[in-house]
Amino acid sequence: MNYVVADIHGCYEEYMELIQKINLSDVDHLYILGDTLDRGPEPMKVLRDLMNRQNVTYIIGNHDYLFLYFIHKLGLDLSEVENMSEDDISDFQTYLKDGGLSSIEAFIKLSEEEKQAVCDFLKEGNVFGDVIAGDKRYVLVHAGISGFSEDKTLDEYDFLDFICERTDYSRRYYRDNNTYVITGHTPTMCINADSSPNVYIGNGHIAIDCGCIYGGKLAAYCIEEGSITYIDAKKVGERIK
């Protein structure tokens, strides 16, 4: 089976419970739609667990990109602050306030070898996924597809087109009814008419960021079965910023 999970944001306890609940085996495949990092209490534990699995495809999210950007500026030992521009320092402060502090604090505690492995894993991440299951096609991206056109192949987009602009869930992107776009990034409480933290399915879209970090749920979508597995957030409200 192919499972898709998005926006874990350091919720390690819920992540491990979800992995156990879907009974992920070595013959299954797990697609992560980015943003494992930031906001939650244990982002590096989640990321390093994913790194140790052979059946994972990691698709980069905007928080992953920002983390890598600032590590590149700061260096693995985070000692290059004096060489950063005022704009970069201001942006870094904004990043920390937007949840980056939990990732940076956990990163500092790693060995040099572990730090390099984390950065290499993220640098090697995909910018999109394209999965065929039966007669259906699933396009997997973190946030959306900026400047979408059916005349363009996925390879023709810039990687930033997949991680920044939110999907317009009110419109169908692909005319083919058997083609679906699976996304994270936008909590489904902001999409569903009833503000529920459940997977949204409509107009050829499947939105799976159910806002675990905001007290919602962590969800896994099974492509072959169309089934959804949920884990409720722990310590509701404590992580909301």
Side-chain angles (χ1 to χ4, degrees):
M1 297 293 179
N2 290 290
Y3 295 93
V4 192
V5 179
D7 296 78
I8 301 170
H9 278 305
C11 297
Y12 179 77
E13 186 176 352
E14 292 91 335
Y15 159 72
M16 290 304 300
E17 190 173 335
L18 183 64
I19 292 299
Q20 293 166 8
K21 191 170 182 178
I22 64 175
N23 194 27
L24 187 73
S25 71
D26 291 339
V27 298
D28 297 319
H29 199 86
L30 181 63
Y31 290 88
I32 301 294
L33 301 190
D35 284 8
T36 289
L37 297 177
D38 300 350
R39 294 187 173 149
E42 299 179 296
M44 288 298 156
K45 283 187 71 172
V46 179
L47 191 62
R48 293 180 69 198
D49 180 86
L50 292 169
M51 290 166 58
N52 288 326
R53 296 179 183 271
Q54 301 301 311
N55 56 343
V56 169
T57 295
Y58 197 91
I59 295 171
I60 295 295
N62 58 303
H63 280 264
D64 309 313
Y65 169 71
L66 286 172
F67 172 83
L68 278 176
Y69 176 85
F70 288 116
I71 294 301
H72 174 72
K73 292 286 184 178
L74 290 163
L76 288 180
D77 59 358
L78 309 181
S79 64
E80 300 297 318
V81 176
E82 66 274 11
N83 294 324
M84 292 173 69
S85 68
E86 289 186 9
D87 286 344
D88 275 333
I89 290 174
S90 177
D91 289 343
F92 183 56
Q93 291 171 336
T94 299
Y95 165 70
L96 294 178
K97 291 177 182 178
D98 192 34
L101 184 60
S102 65
S103 295
I104 296 299
E105 287 182 335
F107 187 75
I108 289 172
K109 298 175 183 177
L110 301 178
S111 68
E112 291 297 301
E113 183 179 355
E114 291 168 335
K115 289 175 182 176
Q116 189 63 60
V118 164
C119 292
D120 289 345
F121 177 78
L122 291 174
K123 288 176 183 177
E124 292 167 4
N126 294 30
V127 294
F128 63 82
D130 199 350
V131 180
I132 303 297
D135 61 348
K136 294 182 172 59
R137 178 192 181 195
Y138 299 85
V139 175
L140 281 54
V141 296
H142 172 66
I145 308 176
S146 181
F148 175 79
S149 169
E150 281 201 86
D151 295 330
K152 295 172 67 174
T153 66
L154 293 172
D155 288 320
E156 293 181 87
Y157 293 94
D158 184 82
F159 79 98
L160 290 175
D161 292 331
F162 300 117
I163 69 173
C164 295
E165 184 175 303
R166 297 189 188 278
T167 293
D168 181 357
Y169 295 100
S170 69
R171 60 178 280 245
R172 177 179 290 277
Y173 282 19
Y174 291 93
R175 290 187 295 269
D176 178 10
N177 288 332
N178 284 327
T179 299
Y180 299 85
V181 181
I182 306 183
T183 52
H185 191 61
T186 301
T188 56
M189 298 93 89
C190 301
I191 305 170
N192 289 320
D194 61 357
S195 300
S196 63
N198 297 317
V199 168
Y200 168 83
I201 301 176
N203 297 325
H205 297 288
I206 304 172
I208 64 170
D209 174 9
C210 296
C212 184
I213 194 61
Y214 299 114
K217 302 172 183 177
L218 192 63
Y221 183 83
C222 178
I223 285 178
E224 286 79 6
E225 297 179 346
S227 59
I228 305 164
T229 304
Y230 292 110
I231 297 296
D232 291 333
K234 314 297 182 185
K235 302 177 182 178
V236 173
E238 290 187 11
R239 300 174 182 144
I240 295 178
K241 298 182 180 181

